[in-house]
Tab-separated table of all heavy atoms in Angstrom:
chain	number	residue	atom	x	y	z
B	13	LEU	N	23.885	12.795	21.553
B	13	LEU	CA	24.665	11.586	21.863
B	13	LEU	C	25.715	11.359	20.968
B	13	LEU	O	25.627	11.707	19.627
B	13	LEU	CB	23.808	10.302	21.983
B	13	LEU	CG	22.638	10.373	23.004
B	13	LEU	CD1	21.763	9.008	22.792
B	13	LEU	CD2	23.179	10.384	24.387
B	14	GLN	N	26.743	10.633	21.304
B	14	GLN	CA	27.811	10.165	20.456
B	14	GLN	C	27.378	8.840	19.870
B	14	GLN	O	26.638	8.098	20.699
B	14	GLN	CB	29.141	10.101	21.118
B	14	GLN	CG	29.883	11.411	21.364
B	14	GLN	CD	30.158	12.112	20.134
B	14	GLN	OE1	29.754	13.368	19.897
B	14	GLN	NE2	30.925	11.531	19.164
B	15	GLU	N	27.717	8.465	18.762
B	15	GLU	CA	27.396	7.131	18.292
B	15	GLU	C	27.938	6.036	19.300
B	15	GLU	O	29.079	6.154	19.697
B	15	GLU	CB	28.124	6.897	16.900
B	15	GLU	CG	27.706	5.613	16.245
B	15	GLU	CD	28.270	5.473	14.828
B	15	GLU	OE1	28.976	6.363	14.407
B	15	GLU	OE2	27.964	4.508	14.151
B	16	GLY	N	27.030	5.141	19.480
B	16	GLY	CA	27.427	4.082	20.529
B	16	GLY	C	26.996	4.452	21.970
B	16	GLY	O	27.090	3.500	22.839
B	17	GLU	N	26.668	5.654	22.291
B	17	GLU	CA	26.402	6.082	23.584
B	17	GLU	C	24.937	5.881	23.947
B	17	GLU	O	24.075	6.644	23.581
B	17	GLU	CB	26.808	7.534	23.811
B	17	GLU	CG	26.518	8.096	25.203
B	17	GLU	CD	26.678	9.655	25.219
B	17	GLU	OE1	27.063	10.278	24.194
B	17	GLU	OE2	26.562	10.250	26.334
B	18	SER	N	24.623	4.815	24.759
B	18	SER	CA	23.258	4.536	25.050
B	18	SER	C	22.586	5.519	26.056
B	18	SER	O	23.309	6.058	26.867
B	18	SER	CB	23.178	3.063	25.740
B	18	SER	OG	23.798	2.184	24.846
B	19	SER	N	21.283	5.733	25.854
B	19	SER	CA	20.561	6.637	26.786
B	19	SER	C	19.108	6.325	26.754
B	19	SER	O	18.729	5.355	26.204
B	19	SER	CB	20.824	8.039	26.331
B	19	SER	OG	20.324	9.036	27.202
B	61	ARG	N	17.534	-1.301	17.902
B	61	ARG	CA	18.220	-0.551	19.036
B	61	ARG	C	17.259	-0.022	20.049
B	61	ARG	O	17.724	0.674	21.034
B	61	ARG	CB	19.191	0.349	18.472
B	61	ARG	CG	20.416	-0.173	17.737
B	61	ARG	CD	21.238	0.824	17.132
B	61	ARG	NE	20.565	1.582	16.119
B	61	ARG	CZ	20.289	1.254	14.830
B	61	ARG	NH1	20.745	0.027	14.471
B	61	ARG	NH2	19.679	2.007	14.000
B	75	ILE	N	17.551	3.602	24.161
B	75	ILE	CA	18.325	3.570	22.868
B	75	ILE	C	19.705	2.951	23.170
B	75	ILE	O	20.504	3.615	23.899
B	75	ILE	CB	18.407	4.878	22.194
B	75	ILE	CG1	16.970	5.510	21.924
B	75	ILE	CG2	19.093	4.819	20.767
B	75	ILE	CD1	17.025	6.829	21.343
B	76	THR	N	19.988	1.864	22.645
B	76	THR	CA	21.194	1.070	22.821
B	76	THR	C	22.138	1.172	21.667
B	76	THR	O	21.742	0.955	20.549
B	76	THR	CB	20.880	-0.402	23.167
B	76	THR	OG1	20.140	-0.566	24.302
B	76	THR	CG2	22.282	-1.140	23.479
B	77	ALA	N	23.374	1.668	21.975
B	77	ALA	CA	24.332	1.785	20.923
B	77	ALA	C	23.783	2.506	19.744
B	77	ALA	O	23.773	1.981	18.550
B	77	ALA	CB	24.941	0.586	20.522
B	78	PRO	N	23.278	3.768	19.899
B	78	PRO	CA	22.641	4.508	18.755
B	78	PRO	C	23.621	4.727	17.622
B	78	PRO	O	24.800	4.972	17.789
B	78	PRO	CB	22.083	5.764	19.405
B	78	PRO	CG	22.993	6.097	20.584
B	78	PRO	CD	23.349	4.669	21.111
B	79	LYS	N	22.953	4.947	16.424
B	79	LYS	CA	23.663	5.207	15.267
B	79	LYS	C	23.211	6.631	14.665
B	79	LYS	O	22.058	7.019	15.041
B	79	LYS	CB	23.555	4.175	14.200
B	79	LYS	CG	24.023	2.795	14.574
B	79	LYS	CD	23.898	1.915	13.417
B	79	LYS	CE	24.468	0.455	13.815
B	79	LYS	NZ	24.386	-0.499	12.694
B	80	PRO	N	23.958	7.241	13.838
B	80	PRO	CA	23.375	8.545	13.219
B	80	PRO	C	22.061	8.506	12.716
B	80	PRO	O	21.284	9.466	12.862
B	80	PRO	CB	24.523	8.855	12.304
B	80	PRO	CG	25.743	8.267	12.878
B	80	PRO	CD	25.302	6.967	13.426
B	82	ASP	N	19.555	7.029	13.729
B	82	ASP	CA	18.457	7.127	14.804
B	82	ASP	C	18.162	8.608	15.177
B	82	ASP	O	17.243	8.791	15.835
B	82	ASP	CB	19.010	6.449	16.123
B	82	ASP	CG	19.189	4.974	15.913
B	82	ASP	OD1	18.369	4.338	15.169
B	82	ASP	OD2	20.215	4.435	16.414
B	107	VAL	N	22.448	12.103	17.087
B	107	VAL	CA	23.462	11.125	17.254
B	107	VAL	C	24.617	11.469	16.244
B	107	VAL	O	24.479	11.447	15.075
B	107	VAL	CB	22.942	9.703	17.000
B	107	VAL	CG1	24.133	8.765	17.352
B	107	VAL	CG2	21.754	9.312	17.872
Side-chain angles (χ1 to χ4, degrees):
Chain B
L13 300 174
Q14 288 296 126
E15 184 172 1
E17 180 187 1
S18 302
S19 188
R61 295 175 293 282
I75 304 176
T76 302
K79 299 182 177 182
D82 294 322
V107 182

